[in-house]
Amino acid sequence: MNREKLSAWRSWIRAELDRSVDFWLTHGMDAENGGVYTCLTRDGTVFSADKSVWMQGRCAWTFAALCRRYGQRPEWLAASRSCLDFLERHCVNREAGGRLYFTVTADGRPLRQRRYCFSEGFYAIANAEYYGQTGERVYLERARKAYQMVYDLNHGAPDPTGLGPKTIPETRAGRALADPMIFLNMTGVLRRTDPAQAALYDRYAAQCVHDIFAYHHKPELQCTLETVGPGGEVQDAYTAGRVVNPGHDIECSWFLMEQANATGDAALHKKALDVFNFAAEAGWDAEYGGLLYFIDCKGLPPEAYEHDMKLWWPHNELLIASLMAYRDTGEEKYLNWFCRGAEYCKTYFADPDFGEWFGYLRRDGRPTEPPCKGSTFKGPFHVPRSLMMADTLLGEILEKKV
């Protein structure tokens, strides 16, 4: 391990975190209506006033998490509270059992409801993290209720929106990796902030781990599939059944490593490393560098037209997972993955002129034109989360190697 090199990376990461946080506080927060705008150009100009409900929850979580890691600051707590208040006033569909919308207008009028329940998931972790900072019980109760709703919906409860499944189940049914992996991460946040219900969270986390490995992880194909049949069948007769999302798998790997570390499960940790190894090796673009967005498990053409783009968030997950793996194992190959990923991010995603990271790059690393810093799906979440976690992990590694 080169201590000077890691210390230099840590300094860069800390500077980038400051720039990311400042960018969103300066350009994203809506002083008039509350909440956060995330459709921002390179310099922070709002190009769409519609608001992502995912991002209201994710932003609220991020600023509360910053307080947990670096100490409370009034502007961080205020940003978190603004998004939570906006969610509560405008984003809960009380006529549909408390489900949350997907997008709303600037002033909070509903625009779109979606069948999957990630809005509720990010609402849950936001409320839980804010409760961890304030101790205000109402936020814990909201988090618990939304968390249980997501679990129930993922396990066959009727959807009060009435939207129904995405495909006709008599023709094709299946499982999505996003459900157990995101719920596992939610569970980690709730377990940390709500230890009184640790037994419940331990039980649900174990179910998530089971579902990931029983159904989605395919060692024989050296991948973890996004979509499988109800019993984990590889549905390789059509493109959706062969999709591998390397960024998702790498993110899943560190969720699993955290669970393994929380429970002292060395066997699970080893399996989590397999998830990482398969995804990083298969997903890295040997010609241009960076992680491809989608690949086909059999090397066939992916259907998604954006499959060979380079998106910000898979690279954020690579920074976290590689450092966590290196901290836990000491294996140099994981440190090499971190350095490779960090160099790519510094070269192509970071923007020294305006701060924050570009969201969408072409395969060769050039930003899409005109470039943007945020969208319905990109806001103050993946970049600051990865940077604050990388800062912490590097600190632990450097301390451990003294």
Side-chain angles (χ1 to χ4, degrees), residues 92-99 101 113 160-161:
V92 180
N93 185 349
R94 305 192 191 282
E95 296 180 358
R99 291 292 312 269
Y101 298 111
Q113 181 90 54
T161 66

Side-chain angles (χ1 to χ4, degrees), residues 272-291:
L273 293 176
D274 288 340
V275 174
F276 175 91
N277 295 334
F278 292 158
E281 292 290 347
W284 191 261
D285 185 343
E287 183 174 358
Y288 291 103
L291 289 165

Side-chain angles (χ1 to χ4, degrees), residues 109-366:
R109 288 169 292 145
L111 285 171
R112 190 175 181 189
Q113 181 90 54
R114 297 192 79 168
R115 52 180 51 83
Y116 51 56
C117 45
F118 300 124
S119 290
E120 293 79 5
F122 302 133
Y123 169 91
I125 63 170
N127 278 281
E129 200 70 63
Y130 190 81
Y131 164 74
Q133 289 302 305
T134 66
E136 296 180 48
R137 188 81 182 179
V138 63
Y139 297 99
L140 176 59
E141 295 304 326
R142 290 171 182 170
R144 285 177 170 179
K145 183 178 179 181
Y147 174 85
Q148 189 62 49
M149 178 193 297
V150 175
Y151 180 86
D152 292 342
L153 288 169
N154 284 349
H155 291 83
D159 185 347
T161 66
L163 288 172
K166 197 170 185 177
T167 58
I168 296 172
E170 291 80 9
T171 304
R172 180 174 296 157
R175 296 174 175 271
L177 175 64
D179 292 335
M181 66 167 280
I182 295 299
F183 197 75
L184 180 60
N185 180 243
M186 290 169 56
T187 301
V189 174
L190 270 290
R191 182 167 49 196
R192 172 171 48 77
T193 55
D194 183 22
Q197 291 198 158
L200 173 72
Y201 301 132
D202 287 346
R203 186 168 74 252
Y204 284 176
Q207 182 66 52
C208 292
V209 171
H210 169 271
D211 290 352
I212 290 166
F213 287 104
Y215 304 121
H216 295 276
H217 187 59
K218 305 297 180 185
E220 70 278 11
L221 296 175
Q222 296 194 328
C223 70
T224 306
L225 289 171
E226 284 293 298
T227 304
V228 293
E233 302 90 348
V234 178
Q235 298 176 319
D236 59 357
Y238 61 98
T239 55
R242 299 192 302 268
V243 169
V244 175
N245 182 329
H248 244 182
D249 294 354
I250 291 169
E251 183 179 22
C252 185
S253 77
W254 73 258
F255 294 168
L256 291 164
M257 280 187 267
E258 284 198 324
Q259 172 67 9
N261 290 335
T263 58
D265 190 338
L268 174 59
H269 196 284
K270 185 178 184 301
K271 291 166 72 175
L273 293 176
D274 288 340
V275 174
F276 175 91
N277 295 334
F278 292 158
E281 292 290 347
W284 191 261
D285 185 343
E287 183 174 358
Y288 291 103
L291 289 165
L292 297 164
Y293 195 28
F294 296 116
I295 57 176
D296 185 285
C297 72
K298 292 193 170 182
L300 297 169
E303 183 178 26
Y305 55 80
E306 69 273 27
H307 68 91
D308 63 353
M309 288 177 64
K310 311 294 169 59
L311 272 67
W312 81 103
W313 68 265
H315 299 78
N316 292 147
E317 307 308 338
L318 177 62
L319 299 185
I320 298 169
S322 59
L323 282 177
M324 193 175 292
Y326 178 63
R327 179 200 64 184
D328 293 349
T329 69
E331 293 186 36
E332 289 292 319
K333 71 176 181 179
Y334 297 115
L335 181 58
N336 292 337
W337 271 117
F338 165 74
C339 292
R340 183 186 298 182
E343 193 62 55
Y344 187 89
C345 293
K346 183 177 182 180
T347 302
Y348 295 105
F349 282 110
D351 182 2
D353 294 329
F354 293 100
E356 184 49 32
W357 290 13
F358 296 111
Y360 304 90
L361 309 180
R362 298 180 177 90
R363 185 183 174 194
D364 61 6
R366 292 180 299 156

